[in-house]
Amino acid sequence: FLSPNTTWLRLCNVIGRLLILSSDYIQYDHISPEEWVFHASMLAVSTHMFLRSAGPLISAIFSITALSVRDRRAYSLLFEAVGLS
């Protein structure tokens, strides 16, 4: 879970940006426009980078593709012999 994986690090970066923004608001009940623009832009960049790294992972998880007969046969010949399922 805590391996240096890019997706997890970027997710933590987005969460950290949200916490920084909320801590400034909770502490002062007001955020100056300059600070708001800075934090919002940093949050947008962090979110964009997270979505770029998590996009292929999310699409792979939700893709519903069945293995072809050829792929299934290659898989069974290569990996089932060693007990990998």
Side-chain angles (χ1 to χ4, degrees):
F1 176 73
L2 294 177
S3 66
N5 189 350
T6 305
T7 305
W8 287 112
L9 291 175
R10 289 184 178 167
L11 176 64
C12 291
N13 193 4
V14 169
I15 292 170
R17 292 284 171 198
L18 288 171
L19 291 175
I20 287 171
L21 193 59
S22 65
S23 72
D24 285 344
Y25 182 74
I26 290 171
Q27 195 172 21
Y28 300 114
D29 289 331
H30 181 291
I31 299 175
S32 66
E34 300 88 21
E35 192 171 355
W36 173 255
V37 168
F38 173 74
H39 285 303
S41 63
M42 293 300 291
L43 179 62
V45 169
S46 297
T47 304
H48 175 70
M49 296 300 289
F50 169 70
L51 291 176
R52 268 186 46 190
S53 64
L57 179 65
I58 292 170
S59 65
I61 289 172
F62 291 114
S63 70
I64 305 172
T65 57
L67 291 176
S68 67
V69 174
R70 183 177 173 190
D71 290 340
R72 191 175 296 120
R73 180 180 163 97
Y75 177 81
S76 65
L77 288 174
L78 291 172
F79 298 111
E80 285 182 355
V82 293
L84 209 65
S85 60

